[in-house]
Amino acid sequence: MGRNKKVKVAKPPFFKVVRRHWMLLLMLMPAIVYVIVFSYIPMTGVVLAFKKYNYNGGIYFSPWNGLNNFKALMISGKLGMVTRNTILYNIVFITMGVILEMGMAILINEIRCKVFKKTAQSFMFLPYFISWVVAGAIVYNVFNFERGVANHIITGLGSEPFDLYNSPGAWPFLLVFLKAWKQTGYGSVVYLAAITSMDQEMFEAASLDGASAWQKIRYLTIPSLIPTMMILVLLAIGNIFRGDFGLFYQTVRSSALLEPVTDVIDTYVFRLLISSGDVGVSAAAGFYQSVLCFITIMCANGLVKKYNPDYALY
């Protein structure tokens, strides 16, 4: 018997495909226009990182400045600190997010009372709709040194009041708690959708074999959630050098004492632009952030693809 040869199927011409599916492509046009206008055209502003910006010349006609903006950024002495803070916070956020979101989705799925299940899911999802401005106001009113609710309770019990906004060591724990409080409900929806789409026959077969609820979670649910988890982690790693601006700016407020432990690249770029008005240096910081994100996601996806191509993004 001869070897089976692969038959190459000729692809139809591009314009023939367009004529055949013109209605579907027309429905896609608003999304394409939106991405081009709000994502690709603004990318041309990256040239500001290499220019000495002035208002007369604007973005495209200001004089070129070479790498001087990047030199000024390095000389400032804060770039390493904010980069470190951004990475460490995001590593903790990603780790806690995976554990809490997956765990909460599994717990909700195990609830048998439908009314309680819907109620619990709604209350978990509610913090996602609270803006960081409101969350920051809540934190301030609870932990304010003079008028905060927490300090009124502490002093009422005969203890000394706690000044949160002058205690840098407490902020990493508070920021992690606030991030988990706000994002867990929203993130668990993805895992819950993945759980409900699983083949229920394998759970029924496991029950017939005498498997306990914990054994089904350990050997069936969690392994089935790994592909979803890997995709979400890879997407999160792509933004590992981007901080949640609302979290770090609205809750911390402007405090030089807290900057060494709460300042991230996003808040640093914002303060740099507000304080100095140097658009070029701020653009250089944003370009630095974007390049690091691109390198990180490429490396992470390459490692995952080498380990298991099915879990890779592309």
Side-chain angles (χ1 to χ4, degrees):
M1 294 180 66
R3 293 182 179 178
N4 294 329
K5 294 183 178 180
K6 292 182 180 179
V7 179
K8 291 184 178 180
V9 179
K11 293 182 179 180
F14 174 75
F15 291 104
K16 188 175 181 180
V17 174
V18 172
R19 283 198 303 270
R20 182 183 302 171
H21 303 289
W22 68 271
M23 190 172 293
L24 294 175
L25 294 173
L26 187 64
M27 293 172 61
L28 191 63
M29 280 305 296
I32 294 174
V33 172
Y34 177 86
V35 171
I36 291 173
V37 172
F38 292 102
S39 296
Y40 284 97
I41 293 178
M43 285 176 64
T44 59
V46 74
V47 297
L48 282 175
F50 306 95
K51 288 192 171 188
K52 186 174 180 60
Y53 179 80
N54 61 67
Y55 291 96
N56 292 328
I59 296 176
Y60 304 107
F61 299 103
S62 295
W64 292 96
N65 200 21
L67 297 176
N68 290 336
N69 291 329
F70 293 93
K71 291 179 182 178
L73 191 64
M74 297 295 180
I75 293 172
S76 66
K78 290 187 176 181
L79 188 61
M81 178 193 71
V82 296
T83 303
R84 178 203 65 201
N85 288 346
T86 307
I87 295 174
L88 292 178
Y89 274 117
N90 279 320
I91 289 174
V92 177
F93 291 161
I94 293 170
T95 305
M96 292 296 293
V98 169
I99 295 172
L100 293 177
E101 291 166 11
M102 186 185 295
M104 201 60 64
I106 293 172
L107 287 176
I108 291 175
N109 184 66
E110 293 298 317
I111 297 174
R112 293 294 171 256
C113 179
K114 291 185 178 180
V115 176
F116 181 77
K117 184 176 183 177
K118 294 293 183 183
T119 305
Q121 193 172 354
S122 299
F123 274 103
M124 283 176 49
F125 204 83
L126 183 62
Y128 179 76
F129 296 101
I130 299 175
S131 69
W132 283 121
V133 178
V134 176
I138 293 171
V139 171
Y140 181 77
N141 284 282
V142 170
F143 294 104
N144 181 267
F145 182 73
E146 297 175 353
R147 299 179 298 276
V149 176
N151 279 328
H152 276 296
I153 296 173
I154 292 172
T155 53
L157 295 173
S159 301
E160 292 294 326
F162 177 69
D163 191 357
L164 178 68
Y165 289 90
N166 285 315
S167 304
W171 277 95
F173 301 99
L174 179 60
L175 291 172
V176 171
F177 169 78
L178 289 173
K179 184 71 174 181
W181 166 74
K182 199 170 188 299
Q183 296 293 331
T184 299
Y186 177 78
S188 63
V189 172
V190 180
Y191 290 104
L192 193 59
I195 292 173
T196 54
S197 64
M198 292 177 186
D199 186 4
Q200 297 302 312
E201 292 183 359
M202 62 180 181
F203 292 97
E204 294 172 3
S207 299
L208 292 174
D209 290 338
S212 63
W214 167 245
Q215 287 174 327
K216 286 187 285 187
I217 291 171
R218 181 180 178 184
Y219 296 108
L220 295 178
T221 306
I222 293 178
S224 299
L225 287 176
I226 289 178
T228 303
M229 181 198 73
M230 292 301 299
I231 291 173
L232 293 177
V233 169
L234 281 175
L235 292 173
I237 288 175
N239 289 317
I240 200 169
F241 287 95
R242 297 190 185 280
D244 191 331
F245 180 81
L247 169 64
F248 289 98
Y249 187 76
Q250 298 295 343
T251 58
V252 177
R253 299 171 178 263
S254 298
S255 176
L257 180 65
L258 301 178
E259 285 183 9
V261 294
T262 61
D263 212 13
V264 293
I265 298 177
D266 300 77
T267 54
Y268 173 66
V269 172
F270 177 77
R271 271 196 284 268
L272 191 65
L273 181 60
I274 295 299
S275 60
S276 66
D278 195 331
V279 178
V281 176
S282 301
F287 182 73
Y288 160 81
Q289 185 184 41
S290 299
V291 169
L292 288 180
C293 288
F294 175 75
I295 294 173
T296 305
I297 187 60
M298 292 296 290
C299 293
N301 188 73
L303 291 173
V304 171
K305 193 173 183 179
K306 186 176 181 181
Y307 172 73
N308 192 334
D310 294 334
Y311 296 161
L313 289 175
Y314 50 88

